[in-house]
Amino acid sequence: MQADPWTHPLAERLTAAFPGLAALTYLDQPFVEAGADGLHALLQHLKDREGFNFLVDLTAVDYPKRDLRFELVYLVYSFESNLRLRVKTRVGENDPADSVTGLFPGANWPEREVYDMFGVVFRGHPDLKRILLPDEWKGHPLRKDMDILAMDNDWVKANLGIESGQ
């Protein structure tokens, strides 16, 4: 993906307030990239000072060959300015990310989903547990090094005593 610099007054304000922040655009969709250690402060700033008071979504992407394996993608929206902004950060396989449920209560379930599917731990989450899969499920099916059919077969055999049929 070839991203271009994002030139917009918001991008200028953010890069001035957060040195090292990358403000980019791809296919006319703006995004910023921040280190995991500054993510919470950036999202707080976006909410309190820039009017991005709605967390639309949070997801992750697995890049198993990168040192910082997981890219977390937060999509925030400002009703006031009718702007949508992606905020990206990266965390290592065994590094926790800070929960943003204190800023955006709606982050509760998406953080649980990212934990369930990818195994990313959110430090400070009020109830971090699986949300889609059974509690006894082993592994995280959206990691690129996982075999989802083998995980399904193992779980069905262990818990239902039958072959999965997958």
Side-chain angles (χ1 to χ4, degrees):
M1 161 179 116
Q2 179 58 43
D4 297 313
W6 178 38
T7 55
H8 187 276
L10 175 59
E12 293 172 14
R13 291 193 303 273
L14 291 176
T15 54
F18 297 90
L21 183 80
L24 303 163
T25 184
Y26 179 71
L27 298 176
D28 294 323
Q29 297 180 17
F31 64 96
V32 294
E33 295 180 332
D37 57 341
L39 178 72
H40 197 278
L42 172 61
L43 288 171
Q44 181 87 56
H45 177 91
L46 285 167
K47 182 178 180 185
D48 294 346
R49 296 204 174 128
E50 300 293 347
F52 286 85
N53 53 9
F54 181 60
L55 178 71
V56 176
D57 198 12
L58 160 61
T59 191
V61 182
D62 182 13
Y63 294 99
K65 294 181 180 173
R66 289 185 182 172
D67 288 338
L68 297 177
R69 179 176 182 165
F70 299 105
E71 183 174 82
L72 301 177
V73 183
Y74 299 77
L75 183 59
V76 293
Y77 181 74
S78 168
F79 289 96
E80 181 181 317
S81 59
N82 191 27
L83 286 175
R84 184 176 18 205
L85 180 65
R86 281 183 180 81
V87 179
K88 297 181 180 186
T89 194
R90 295 182 181 155
V91 294
E93 183 170 2
N94 299 310
D95 301 331
D98 289 329
S99 175
V100 297
T101 56
L103 291 174
F104 301 104
N108 188 319
W109 284 17
E111 286 182 356
R112 287 179 57 196
E113 182 178 350
V114 169
Y115 165 71
D116 199 4
M117 297 289 106
F118 294 93
V120 175
V121 172
F122 290 90
R123 179 179 34 235
H125 189 282
D127 190 26
L128 192 62
K129 62 183 179 181
R130 291 195 181 273
I131 191 169
L132 299 172
L133 296 171
D135 291 338
E136 58 278 346
W137 188 274
K138 302 289 186 238
H140 304 281
L142 292 184
R143 288 184 176 207
K144 290 185 179 173
D145 56 358
M146 299 303 291
D147 181 348
I148 185 65
L149 291 178
M151 285 189 285
D152 177 67
N153 287 333
D154 293 346
W155 187 88
V156 168
K157 187 174 249 179
N159 291 280
L160 302 178
I162 61 173
E163 291 297 321
S164 169
Q166 292 285 342

